[in-house]
Amino acid sequence: MALGDDVLRLLDEQSRDWPMLAEGLAALGRVRTRAMALPHFSVRLQCNPRRIVSSGAKTDAASIAERRCFLCPSHLPGDQRGIEFASRYLILCNPFPIAPIHFTVPIMQHVDQRIAGRLSDMLELSRGLGERFFTLYNGPRCGASAPDHFHFQACGTGFLPIESEIEFLVRRYGMEDQPAVVAVRDPHRPFYLIESTSAAEVERAFELLLLRLPRRDVESEPMMNLLCWWLGDRHRLVVFPRRSHRPACYFAEGDARRLLSPGSIDLGGVVVTPVESDFDRLTESEIVSMFTEVCGESV
Ligand SMILES: [Zn+2]
């Protein structure tokens, strides 16, 4: 697992020679967390004020056009170094980490966040990094703070509650769908699980699934979040179809406002709350509502 070792070495070096990352990791070490047992799965709230940049990000076309893209290779901070993957991507340490091992993996050209034709890259990245990592993809209106620049993320395994709950959820709510696909009909957080030893089979199953998921118009992709693992002998892909970008509480006024802008990590069970008072006040029923509002109605 040379790539996995290389990126961990990069993280180790960059945490010593890049002050911004050192500060990000130190801040992550101080975050408060709170466990919540929801009716069907568990969640860990993470009070992470530095994530306000991402959770509060304006992702409309005009705001995006005004800012300098932070994922373009020519705009990276001077101290930031990366490892090339597949001659097309850079693996970079995330200076605003949610997990202690947290990388951003942008493609080297400035092209839109759009998964079509790139799932094979995600499967190859997961396999290349090995079993100590998982990879994720946030759709352009599903948690990605740079919807104008294609990127994946990669984190260390053992971080997301869903990792240890997936077999239980499949037993309890799973229904055979198409070959290699199980529809997991959890009423609050439905998803599809695609598993195969063959990357080509996962890609085929994913393409068929995309044809069935609702989309706003012919141009845009279905709203979704993806989590991907290499399990040593097979690929595992979780597809969360989405209904909405942000829950209603995000747009509420005054005391009712909760800054929740879920992406793949949140849907995997680590819900990031950048605002301290949200972290202190959020109830289990508010979190259940967030999941039912943003996740797909039916799988
Ligand atoms: Zn860019």
Side-chain angles (χ1 to χ4, degrees):
M1 285 306 145
L3 184 63
D5 291 336
D6 288 350
V7 300
L8 290 176
R9 199 173 307 118
L10 176 75
L11 179 62
D12 187 45
E13 288 167 6
Q14 289 266 269
S15 67
R16 277 182 272 120
D17 58 23
W18 183 22
M20 190 178 176
L21 177 65
E23 208 177 290
L25 288 168
L28 182 67
R30 293 190 299 267
V31 298
R32 289 189 291 152
T33 62
R34 178 151 73 89
M36 274 186 175
L38 304 188
H40 310 108
F41 55 90
S42 56
V43 151
R44 196 164 66 246
L45 291 189
Q46 183 189 94
C47 182
N48 191 336
R50 287 169 62 94
R51 294 296 302 180
I52 191 86
V53 185
S54 176
S55 299
K58 289 195 169 75
T59 53
D60 60 285
S63 307
I64 291 292
E66 268 173 30
R67 64 115 169 86
R68 201 165 84 139
C69 176
F70 57 89
L71 292 181
C72 275
S74 56
H75 298 160
L76 297 180
D79 291 336
Q80 189 167 32
R81 283 179 289 111
I83 290 178
E84 271 192 34
F85 166 71
S87 320
R88 297 188 294 288
Y89 294 88
L90 271 181
I91 304 179
L92 303 167
C93 300
N94 187 333
F96 298 97
I98 297 175
I101 297 172
H102 192 167
F103 298 95
T104 310
V105 188
I107 201 161
M108 287 191 246
Q109 314 125 304
H110 187 80
V111 293
D112 282 348
Q113 186 78 333
R114 190 180 177 85
I115 194 69
R118 302 205 197 280
L119 186 75
S120 55
D121 293 346
M122 187 176 197
L123 298 174
E124 197 185 324
L125 175 64
S126 285
R127 185 172 179 159
L129 286 170
E131 294 163 72
R132 292 170 291 174
F133 300 84
F134 67 89
T135 57
L136 67 92
Y137 168 80
N138 288 323
R141 291 178 63 249
C142 301
S145 48
D148 55 336
H149 192 126
F150 187 83
H151 63 288
F152 298 113
Q153 294 177 52
C155 298
T157 49
F159 177 70
L160 293 180
I162 197 173
E163 294 178 87
S164 56
E165 296 176 342
I166 208 157
E167 273 87 12
F168 163 78
L169 292 165
V170 167
R171 275 198 307 277
R172 181 147 178 197
Y173 300 109
M175 303 269 284
E176 288 292 323
D177 194 80
Q178 58 195 56
V181 183
V182 177
V184 181
R185 296 183 167 149
D186 179 324
H188 302 309
R189 186 185 58 181
F191 60 88
Y192 292 98
L193 176 69
I194 308 179
E195 274 193 20
S196 176
T197 53
S198 152
E201 186 175 35
V202 176
E203 286 166 50
R204 219 163 29 240
F206 180 69
E207 275 165 30
L208 289 173
L209 201 57
L210 284 196
L211 296 175
R212 285 161 43 193
L213 296 179
R215 47 183 94 209
R216 265 195 314 177
D217 50 63
V218 285
E219 291 294 304
S220 54
E221 70 180 20
M223 292 175 73
M224 74 182 112
N225 294 99
L226 306 176
L227 291 170
C228 185
W229 293 265
W230 170 249
L231 298 179
D233 59 349
R234 64 194 192 281
H235 299 277
R236 166 177 281 177
L237 180 70
V238 164
V239 180
F240 294 107
R242 291 281 295 260
R243 269 200 290 191
S244 65
H245 180 196
R246 285 163 169 165
C249 61
Y250 184 94
F251 305 99
E253 302 278 333
D255 260 12
R257 184 162 203 221
R258 303 280 184 268
L259 205 78
L260 296 172
S261 185
S264 302
I265 287 181
D266 306 76
L267 297 190
V270 174
V271 174
V272 176
T273 63
V275 178
E276 302 241 7
S277 58
D278 289 350
F279 175 83
D280 292 327
R281 289 186 300 184
L282 272 163
T283 63
E284 289 174 4
S285 75
E286 284 178 302
I287 294 295
V288 168
S289 296
M290 178 198 84
F291 276 99
T292 42
E293 271 183 63
V294 302
C295 288
E297 197 156 6
S298 57
V299 299

